[in-house]
Coordinates of all heavy atoms in Angstrom, one line a residue:
M1 N 0.8 -1.2 0.0 CA 0.0 0.0 0.0 C 0.9 1.3 0.0 O 1.9 1.3 0.7 CB -0.9 0.0 1.2 CG -2.3 -0.5 0.9 SD -3.4 -0.3 2.3 CE -3.0 -1.8 3.2
D2 N 0.5 2.3 -0.7 CA 1.2 3.5 -0.9 C 1.3 4.2 0.5 O 2.3 4.8 0.8 CB 0.6 4.4 -1.9 CG 1.6 5.5 -2.4 OD1 2.8 5.1 -2.5 OD2 1.2 6.6 -2.5
F3 N 0.2 4.2 1.2 CA 0.2 4.9 2.5 C 1.2 4.3 3.5 O 2.0 5.1 4.1 CB -1.2 4.8 3.1 CG -1.3 5.3 4.5 CD1 -1.3 6.7 4.8 CD2 -1.4 4.5 5.6 CE1 -1.4 7.2 6.1 CE2 -1.5 4.9 6.9 CZ -1.5 6.3 7.1
L4 N 1.3 3.0 3.5 CA 2.2 2.4 4.4 C 3.7 2.7 4.0 O 4.5 2.9 4.9 CB 2.0 0.9 4.4 CG 0.9 0.3 5.3 CD1 0.7 -1.2 5.0 CD2 1.1 0.6 6.7
H5 N 3.9 2.7 2.7 CA 5.2 3.0 2.2 C 5.7 4.3 2.6 O 6.9 4.5 3.0 CB 5.3 2.8 0.7 CG 6.6 2.7 0.1 ND1 7.3 1.6 0.3 CD2 7.4 3.6 -0.5 CE1 8.5 1.7 -0.3 NE2 8.6 3.0 -0.8
R6 N 4.9 5.4 2.6 CA 5.3 6.7 2.9 C 5.5 6.8 4.4 O 6.3 7.6 4.9 CB 4.2 7.7 2.5 CG 4.6 8.4 1.2 CD 3.6 9.5 0.9 NE 2.4 8.9 0.1 CZ 1.2 9.2 0.4 NH1 0.8 10.0 1.3 NH2 0.2 8.6 -0.4
E7 N 4.8 6.0 5.2 CA 5.0 6.1 6.7 C 6.1 5.2 7.2 O 6.3 5.1 8.3 CB 3.7 5.6 7.3 CG 2.5 6.5 7.1 CD 2.5 7.8 7.8 OE1 2.4 7.7 9.1 OE2 2.7 8.8 7.2
K8 N 6.9 4.7 6.2 CA 7.9 3.7 6.5 C 8.9 4.1 7.6 O 9.2 3.4 8.5 CB 8.7 3.4 5.2 CG 9.2 2.0 5.2 CD 9.9 1.7 3.9 CE 10.7 0.5 3.9 NZ 11.5 0.3 2.6
N9 N 9.5 5.4 7.4 CA 10.5 5.8 8.3 C 10.0 6.7 9.4 O 10.7 7.6 10.0 CB 11.6 6.5 7.5 CG 12.3 5.5 6.6 OD1 12.4 4.3 6.9 ND2 12.9 6.0 5.6
L10 N 8.7 6.6 9.7 CA 8.1 7.4 10.8 C 7.9 6.6 12.0 O 7.4 5.5 12.0 CB 6.7 7.9 10.3 CG 5.9 8.8 11.2 CD1 6.5 10.2 11.3 CD2 4.5 8.9 10.8
C11 N 8.4 7.2 13.1 CA 8.2 6.5 14.4 C 6.8 6.7 14.8 O 6.3 7.8 15.0 CB 9.2 7.1 15.5 SG 8.9 6.3 17.1
K12 N 6.1 5.6 15.0 CA 4.7 5.6 15.3 C 4.4 6.0 16.8 O 3.3 6.3 17.1 CB 4.0 4.3 15.0 CG 3.9 4.0 13.5 CD 3.2 2.7 13.2 CE 2.9 2.6 11.7 NZ 4.1 2.1 11.0
V13 N 5.5 5.9 17.6 CA 5.3 6.2 19.0 C 5.4 7.7 19.3 O 4.5 8.3 19.9 CB 6.4 5.4 19.9 CG1 6.1 5.7 21.3 CG2 6.3 3.9 19.6
C14 N 6.5 8.4 18.7 CA 6.6 9.8 19.0 C 6.5 10.7 17.7 O 6.8 11.9 17.8 CB 8.0 10.0 19.7 SG 9.4 9.6 18.7
R15 N 6.2 10.1 16.6 CA 5.9 10.8 15.3 C 7.2 11.5 14.8 O 7.1 12.4 14.0 CB 4.8 11.8 15.5 CG 3.5 11.3 16.1 CD 2.9 10.2 15.4 NE 2.3 10.5 14.1 CZ 1.7 9.6 13.3 NH1 1.7 8.4 13.6 NH2 1.2 10.0 12.2
T16 N 8.4 11.0 15.1 CA 9.6 11.5 14.6 C 9.9 10.8 13.2 O 9.7 9.6 13.1 CB 10.8 11.3 15.5 OG1 10.5 11.8 16.8 CG2 12.1 11.9 15.0
R17 N 10.3 11.6 12.2 CA 10.5 11.1 10.9 C 12.1 11.0 10.7 O 12.8 11.8 11.1 CB 10.0 12.0 9.8 CG 9.9 11.4 8.5 CD 9.2 12.3 7.5 NE 7.8 12.3 7.7 CZ 6.9 11.4 7.2 NH1 7.3 10.4 6.5 NH2 5.6 11.5 7.4
F18 N 12.5 9.9 10.1 CA 13.9 9.6 9.8 C 14.1 9.5 8.3 O 13.2 9.0 7.6 CB 14.3 8.3 10.6 CG 14.2 8.5 12.0 CD1 13.0 8.1 12.7 CD2 15.3 9.0 12.8 CE1 12.9 8.3 14.1 CE2 15.2 9.1 14.2 CZ 14.0 8.8 14.8
N19 N 15.3 9.8 7.9 CA 15.7 9.7 6.5 C 16.0 8.3 6.1 O 15.7 7.9 5.0 CB 16.9 10.6 6.2 CG 16.6 12.1 6.3 OD1 15.4 12.5 6.0 ND2 17.5 12.8 6.8
K20 N 16.6 7.6 7.1 CA 17.0 6.2 6.8 C 16.2 5.2 7.6 O 16.0 5.5 8.8 CB 18.5 6.0 7.0 CG 19.3 6.7 5.9 CD 20.8 6.5 6.3 CE 21.6 7.3 5.3 NZ 23.0 7.4 5.7
H21 N 15.9 4.1 7.0 CA 15.2 3.0 7.8 C 16.0 2.6 9.0 O 15.4 2.4 10.1 CB 14.9 1.9 6.8 CG 14.2 0.7 7.5 ND1 12.9 0.7 7.8 CD2 14.7 -0.5 7.9 CE1 12.6 -0.4 8.4 NE2 13.6 -1.2 8.4
Q22 N 17.3 2.5 8.8 CA 18.1 2.0 9.9 C 18.2 3.0 11.1 O 18.3 2.6 12.2 CB 19.6 1.7 9.4 CG 19.6 0.4 8.7 CD 19.1 -0.8 9.5 OE1 19.5 -1.1 10.6 NE2 18.2 -1.6 8.8
E23 N 18.0 4.3 10.8 CA 18.0 5.3 11.8 C 16.7 5.1 12.7 O 16.8 5.3 13.9 CB 18.0 6.7 11.2 CG 19.4 7.1 10.7 CD 19.4 8.4 10.0 OE1 18.4 9.2 10.1 OE2 20.4 8.7 9.4
L24 N 15.6 4.8 12.0 CA 14.4 4.6 12.8 C 14.5 3.4 13.7 O 14.1 3.4 14.8 CB 13.2 4.4 11.7 CG 11.9 3.9 12.3 CD1 11.3 4.9 13.3 CD2 10.9 3.6 11.2
I25 N 15.1 2.3 13.1 CA 15.3 1.1 13.9 C 16.2 1.4 15.2 O 15.8 1.0 16.3 CB 16.1 0.0 13.0 CG1 15.2 -0.3 11.8 CG2 16.4 -1.2 13.9 CD1 13.9 -1.0 12.1
Q26 N 17.3 2.1 15.0 CA 18.2 2.4 16.1 C 17.4 3.2 17.1 O 17.5 3.0 18.3 CB 19.4 3.2 15.6 CG 20.4 2.4 14.8 CD 20.8 1.1 15.4 OE1 21.1 1.0 16.6 NE2 20.7 0.0 14.7
H27 N 16.6 4.2 16.7 CA 15.8 5.1 17.5 C 14.8 4.2 18.3 O 14.7 4.4 19.5 CB 15.1 6.1 16.7 CG 14.0 6.8 17.3 ND1 14.1 7.9 18.1 CD2 12.6 6.5 17.4 CE1 13.0 8.3 18.6 NE2 12.0 7.5 18.1
A28 N 14.1 3.4 17.6 CA 13.1 2.6 18.3 C 13.7 1.6 19.3 O 13.1 1.4 20.4 CB 12.3 1.7 17.2
K29 N 14.9 1.1 19.1 CA 15.5 0.3 20.0 C 16.0 1.0 21.3 O 15.7 0.6 22.4 CB 16.8 -0.4 19.4 CG 16.4 -1.6 18.6 CD 17.7 -2.5 18.4 CE 18.6 -2.0 17.4 NZ 19.6 -3.0 17.0
K30 N 16.6 2.2 21.0 CA 17.2 2.9 22.1 C 16.2 3.7 22.9 O 16.2 3.7 24.2 CB 18.3 4.0 21.6 CG 19.6 3.3 21.3 CD 20.6 4.4 20.8 CE 21.9 3.8 20.4 NZ 22.8 4.8 19.7
V31 N 15.3 4.4 22.2 CA 14.3 5.3 22.9 C 13.1 4.5 23.5 O 12.7 4.8 24.6 CB 13.9 6.5 22.0 CG1 13.0 7.4 22.7 CG2 15.2 7.2 21.5
H32 N 12.5 3.7 22.6 CA 11.3 3.0 23.0 C 11.5 1.6 23.4 O 10.5 0.9 23.8 CB 10.3 3.1 21.9 CG 10.1 4.5 21.4 ND1 9.6 5.5 22.2 CD2 10.3 5.1 20.2 CE1 9.5 6.7 21.5 NE2 10.0 6.4 20.3
H33 N 12.7 1.1 23.3 CA 13.0 -0.3 23.6 C 12.0 -1.3 22.9 O 11.5 -2.3 23.5 CB 12.9 -0.5 25.1 CG 13.9 0.4 25.9 ND1 15.2 0.1 25.9 CD2 13.7 1.5 26.5 CE1 15.8 1.1 26.6 NE2 14.9 2.0 27.0
Q34 N 11.8 -1.0 21.7 CA 10.9 -1.9 20.9 C 11.7 -3.1 20.4 O 12.9 -3.1 20.3 CB 10.4 -1.1 19.6 CG 9.4 -0.1 19.9 CD 8.7 0.4 18.6 OE1 8.5 -0.3 17.7 NE2 8.4 1.7 18.6
S35 N 11.0 -4.2 20.3 CA 11.6 -5.4 19.8 C 11.7 -5.4 18.3 O 10.9 -4.9 17.6 CB 10.8 -6.7 20.3 OG 9.5 -6.5 19.8
I36 N 12.9 -5.9 17.8 CA 13.2 -5.8 16.4 C 13.2 -7.2 15.8 O 13.7 -8.1 16.3 CB 14.7 -5.2 16.3 CG1 14.7 -3.8 17.0 CG2 15.1 -5.1 14.9 CD1 13.8 -2.7 16.5
M37 N 12.7 -7.2 14.6 CA 12.7 -8.4 13.8 C 13.9 -8.4 12.9 O 14.2 -7.3 12.3 CB 11.5 -8.5 12.9 CG 10.2 -8.2 13.5 SD 9.6 -9.5 14.6 CE 8.3 -8.7 15.5
K38 N 14.6 -9.5 12.7 CA 15.8 -9.6 11.9 C 15.6 -10.5 10.7 O 15.0 -11.6 10.8 CB 17.0 -10.0 12.7 CG 17.9 -8.9 13.0 CD 19.2 -9.4 13.6 CE 20.2 -8.3 13.9 NZ 21.5 -8.8 14.3
C39 N 16.1 -10.1 9.5 CA 16.1 -11.0 8.4 C 17.2 -12.0 8.6 O 18.3 -11.6 9.0 CB 16.4 -10.2 7.1 SG 16.7 -11.3 5.7
H40 N 16.9 -13.3 8.5 CA 17.8 -14.3 8.8 C 18.9 -14.5 7.8 O 20.0 -15.0 8.1 CB 17.1 -15.7 9.0 CG 16.1 -15.6 10.1 ND1 16.5 -15.4 11.4 CD2 14.8 -15.8 10.2 CE1 15.4 -15.4 12.2 NE2 14.4 -15.6 11.5
S41 N 18.7 -14.0 6.6 CA 19.8 -14.1 5.6 C 20.7 -13.0 5.5 O 21.9 -13.2 5.3 CB 19.1 -14.5 4.2 OG 18.2 -13.5 3.9
C42 N 20.2 -11.7 5.6 CA 21.2 -10.6 5.5 C 21.3 -9.8 6.8 O 22.1 -8.8 6.9 CB 20.7 -9.7 4.4 SG 19.3 -8.7 4.7
G43 N 20.5 -10.1 7.8 CA 20.6 -9.4 9.1 C 20.0 -8.0 9.2 O 20.1 -7.3 10.2
M44 N 19.3 -7.6 8.1 CA 18.6 -6.3 8.1 C 17.5 -6.3 9.2 O 16.8 -7.4 9.4 CB 18.0 -6.1 6.8 CG 17.6 -4.6 6.5 SD 17.2 -4.4 4.8 CE 16.4 -2.8 4.9
E45 N 17.3 -5.2 9.9 CA 16.4 -5.1 11.0 C 15.0 -4.4 10.6 O 15.0 -3.5 9.8 CB 17.0 -4.4 12.2 CG 18.2 -5.2 12.7 CD 19.0 -4.5 13.7 OE1 19.3 -3.3 13.5 OE2 19.3 -5.1 14.8
F46 N 14.0 -4.9 11.3 CA 12.6 -4.4 11.0 C 11.9 -4.2 12.3 O 12.1 -5.0 13.2 CB 11.9 -5.3 10.0 CG 12.6 -5.5 8.7 CD1 13.5 -6.6 8.6 CD2 12.4 -4.6 7.7 CE1 14.2 -6.7 7.4 CE2 13.1 -4.8 6.5 CZ 14.0 -5.9 6.4
L47 N 10.9 -3.3 12.3 CA 10.1 -3.0 13.5 C 8.9 -4.0 13.5 O 8.4 -4.3 14.5 CB 9.6 -1.6 13.5 CG 10.6 -0.5 14.0 CD1 10.0 0.8 13.9 CD2 11.2 -0.9 15.3
H48 N 8.5 -4.4 12.3 CA 7.2 -5.2 12.2 C 7.5 -6.5 11.5 O 8.2 -6.4 10.5 CB 6.1 -4.4 11.6 CG 5.9 -3.0 12.2 ND1 5.3 -2.9 13.4 CD2 6.3 -1.8 11.8 CE1 5.3 -1.6 13.7 NE2 5.9 -0.9 12.8
E49 N 6.8 -7.5 11.9 CA 7.0 -8.8 11.2 C 6.5 -8.7 9.8 O 7.1 -9.3 8.9 CB 6.1 -9.8 12.0 CG 6.1 -11.2 11.4 CD 7.5 -11.9 11.4 OE1 8.5 -11.4 11.9 OE2 7.5 -13.0 10.8
E50 N 5.5 -7.9 9.5 CA 5.0 -7.8 8.1 C 6.0 -7.1 7.2 O 6.2 -7.5 6.1 CB 3.7 -7.0 8.1 CG 3.8 -5.6 8.7 CD 2.4 -5.0 8.9 OE1 1.6 -5.6 9.7 OE2 2.1 -3.9 8.4
D51 N 6.8 -6.2 7.8 CA 7.9 -5.5 7.0 C 9.0 -6.6 6.7 O 9.5 -6.6 5.6 CB 8.5 -4.4 7.8 CG 7.6 -3.2 8.0 OD1 6.6 -3.2 7.2 OD2 7.9 -2.4 8.8
R52 N 9.3 -7.4 7.7 CA 10.3 -8.4 7.5 C 9.9 -9.4 6.4 O 10.7 -9.8 5.5 CB 10.6 -9.1 8.8 CG 11.9 -10.0 8.8 CD 12.1 -10.7 10.0 NE 11.1 -11.8 10.2 CZ 11.2 -13.0 9.6 NH1 12.2 -13.3 8.9 NH2 10.2 -13.9 9.8
L53 N 8.7 -9.8 6.5 CA 8.1 -10.8 5.6 C 8.2 -10.3 4.2 O 8.5 -10.9 3.2 CB 6.7 -11.3 6.0 CG 6.6 -12.2 7.2 CD1 5.2 -12.4 7.6 CD2 7.4 -13.5 7.0
H54 N 7.8 -9.0 4.0 CA 7.8 -8.3 2.7 C 9.2 -8.3 2.2 O 9.5 -8.6 1.0 CB 7.3 -6.9 2.9 CG 7.3 -6.1 1.6 ND1 6.4 -6.3 0.6 CD2 8.1 -5.1 1.2 CE1 6.6 -5.5 -0.4 NE2 7.6 -4.8 -0.1
H55 N 10.2 -8.0 3.0 CA 11.6 -7.9 2.6 C 12.1 -9.3 2.2 O 12.8 -9.5 1.2 CB 12.5 -7.4 3.8 CG 13.9 -7.6 3.7 ND1 14.8 -6.9 2.9 CD2 14.7 -8.6 4.2 CE1 16.0 -7.4 3.0 NE2 16.0 -8.4 3.8
V56 N 11.8 -10.3 3.0 CA 12.2 -11.7 2.7 C 11.6 -12.1 1.4 O 12.3 -12.8 0.6 CB 11.7 -12.7 3.9 CG1 11.8 -14.1 3.5 CG2 12.5 -12.4 5.1
Q57 N 10.4 -11.7 1.1 CA 9.7 -12.1 -0.1 C 10.5 -11.4 -1.3 O 10.7 -12.1 -2.3 CB 8.3 -11.6 -0.1 CG 7.4 -12.1 -1.2 CD 7.4 -13.7 -1.2 OE1 7.3 -14.3 -0.2 NE2 7.6 -14.3 -2.4
Q58 N 10.9 -10.2 -1.1 CA 11.6 -9.5 -2.2 C 13.0 -10.1 -2.4 O 13.4 -10.3 -3.6 CB 11.9 -8.0 -1.8 CG 10.6 -7.2 -2.0 CD 10.9 -5.7 -1.8 OE1 11.6 -5.3 -0.9 NE2 10.3 -4.8 -2.6
E59 N 13.6 -10.6 -1.3 CA 14.9 -11.3 -1.5 C 14.8 -12.6 -2.3 O 15.6 -12.9 -3.1 CB 15.5 -11.6 -0.1 CG 16.3 -10.4 0.5 CD 17.1 -10.8 1.7 OE1 16.7 -11.8 2.4 OE2 18.0 -10.1 2.1
K60 N 13.7 -13.3 -2.0 CA 13.4 -14.5 -2.7 C 13.3 -14.3 -4.2 O 13.8 -15.0 -5.0 CB 12.1 -15.2 -2.2 CG 12.4 -16.1 -1.0 CD 11.0 -16.7 -0.6 CE 11.1 -17.3 0.8 NZ 9.7 -17.6 1.3
E61 N 12.5 -13.2 -4.5 CA 12.3 -12.9 -5.9 C 13.6 -12.5 -6.6 O 13.8 -12.9 -7.8 CB 11.3 -11.7 -6.0 CG 9.9 -12.2 -5.8 CD 8.9 -11.1 -5.5 OE1 9.2 -9.9 -5.8 OE2 7.8 -11.4 -5.0
K62 N 14.5 -11.8 -5.9 CA 15.8 -11.4 -6.5 C 16.6 -12.6 -6.7 O 17.3 -12.7 -7.8 CB 16.6 -10.5 -5.5 CG 16.2 -9.0 -5.6 CD 17.1 -8.2 -4.6 CE 16.4 -6.9 -4.2 NZ 16.9 -6.4 -3.0
K63 N 16.6 -13.6 -5.8 CA 17.4 -14.8 -6.0 C 16.9 -15.6 -7.2 O 17.7 -16.1 -7.9 CB 17.3 -15.7 -4.7 CG 18.4 -15.3 -3.7 CD 18.2 -16.1 -2.4 CE 18.9 -15.4 -1.3 NZ 18.5 -15.9 0.0
I64 N 15.6 -15.6 -7.4 CA 15.1 -16.3 -8.5 C 15.5 -15.6 -9.8 O 15.9 -16.3 -10.8 CB 13.5 -16.4 -8.4 CG1 13.1 -17.3 -7.3 CG2 12.9 -16.8 -9.7 CD1 11.7 -17.1 -6.8
D65 N 15.6 -14.3 -9.8 CA 16.0 -13.5 -10.9 C 17.5 -13.9 -11.3 O 17.8 -14.1 -12.5 CB 15.9 -12.0 -10.6 CG 14.7 -11.4 -11.1 OD1 13.8 -12.2 -11.6 OD2 14.5 -10.2 -11.1
I66 N 18.3 -13.9 -10.3 CA 19.7 -14.2 -10.5 C 19.9 -15.6 -11.2 O 20.6 -15.8 -12.1 CB 20.5 -14.2 -9.2 CG1 20.6 -12.7 -8.7 CG2 21.9 -14.8 -9.4 CD1 21.0 -12.5 -7.2
R67 N 19.1 -16.6 -10.7 CA 19.2 -17.9 -11.2 C 18.8 -17.9 -12.7 O 19.3 -18.6 -13.5 CB 18.2 -18.9 -10.5 CG 18.9 -19.5 -9.2 CD 18.0 -20.4 -8.5 NE 18.2 -20.4 -7.1 CZ 17.2 -20.4 -6.2 NH1 15.9 -20.4 -6.6 NH2 17.4 -20.3 -4.9
R68 N 17.7 -17.1 -13.0 CA 17.3 -17.1 -14.4 C 18.3 -16.6 -15.4 O 18.4 -17.0 -16.5 CB 16.0 -16.2 -14.5 CG 14.7 -16.8 -14.2 CD 13.6 -16.0 -14.5 NE 12.4 -16.4 -13.8 CZ 11.6 -15.5 -13.2 NH1 11.8 -14.3 -13.2 NH2 10.5 -16.0 -12.5
H69 N 19.1 -15.6 -14.9 CA 20.1 -15.0 -15.8 C 21.4 -15.8 -16.0 O 22.2 -15.5 -16.8 CB 20.5 -13.6 -15.3 CG 19.3 -12.6 -15.4 ND1 18.8 -12.3 -16.6 CD2 18.6 -12.0 -14.5 CE1 17.8 -11.4 -16.4 NE2 17.6 -11.3 -15.1
R70 N 21.6 -16.9 -15.2 CA 22.8 -17.7 -15.3 C 22.7 -18.6 -16.5 O 21.7 -19.1 -16.9 CB 23.0 -18.5 -14.0 CG 23.9 -17.8 -13.1 CD 24.0 -18.6 -11.8 NE 24.6 -17.7 -10.7 CZ 24.5 -18.0 -9.4 NH1 24.0 -19.1 -9.0 NH2 25.0 -17.2 -8.5
Ligands
LIG101 ZN1 10.1 7.5 18.7
LIG102 ZN1 17.4 -9.8 4.1

């Protein structure tokens, strides 16, 4: 959804906006002590399980693409 995408780097707790996704993650961990989801293959961190699942899905698609081009 477009709405969700735009709200991606916004802290939902204190409404602070960040330029980078990782900055938001660091902020959420330090300031709000939120639990973080991690991608098991690349270690990228996410605030929500749905974000992680979306990322994992994209990684899978990329891997399939690489196989196709070989
Ligand atoms: Zn915050
Ligand atoms: Zn990953």
Side-chain angles (χ1 to χ4, degrees):
M1 261 186 275
D2 196 42
F3 173 75
L4 279 176
H5 195 74
R6 260 185 275 137
E7 295 286 294
K8 207 177 168 186
N9 295 334
L10 182 74
C11 176
K12 288 183 174 81
V13 183
C14 65
R15 312 300 288 176
T16 305
R17 193 175 287 276
F18 297 90
N19 293 323
K20 287 176 187 170
H21 179 73
Q22 284 306 308
E23 285 175 12
L24 170 63
I25 300 293
Q26 293 306 314
H27 164 86
K29 274 202 284 194
K30 279 184 187 171
V31 182
H32 306 300
H33 303 283
Q34 285 189 38
S35 54
I36 303 298
M37 316 283 168
K38 255 192 177 184
C39 171
H40 297 300
S41 52
C42 74
M44 197 170 165
E45 295 172 316
F46 302 91
L47 284 180
H48 309 285
E49 177 64 7
E50 60 194 59
D51 291 345
R52 193 185 68 81
L53 288 175
H54 179 74
H55 163 82
V56 167
Q57 194 57 46
Q58 281 187 323
E59 274 190 341
K60 271 185 197 165
E61 283 165 17
K62 272 182 210 161
K63 273 175 197 166
I64 291 162
D65 264 7
I66 290 162
R67 273 184 217 137
R68 274 191 202 133
H69 291 298
R70 264 175 198 167

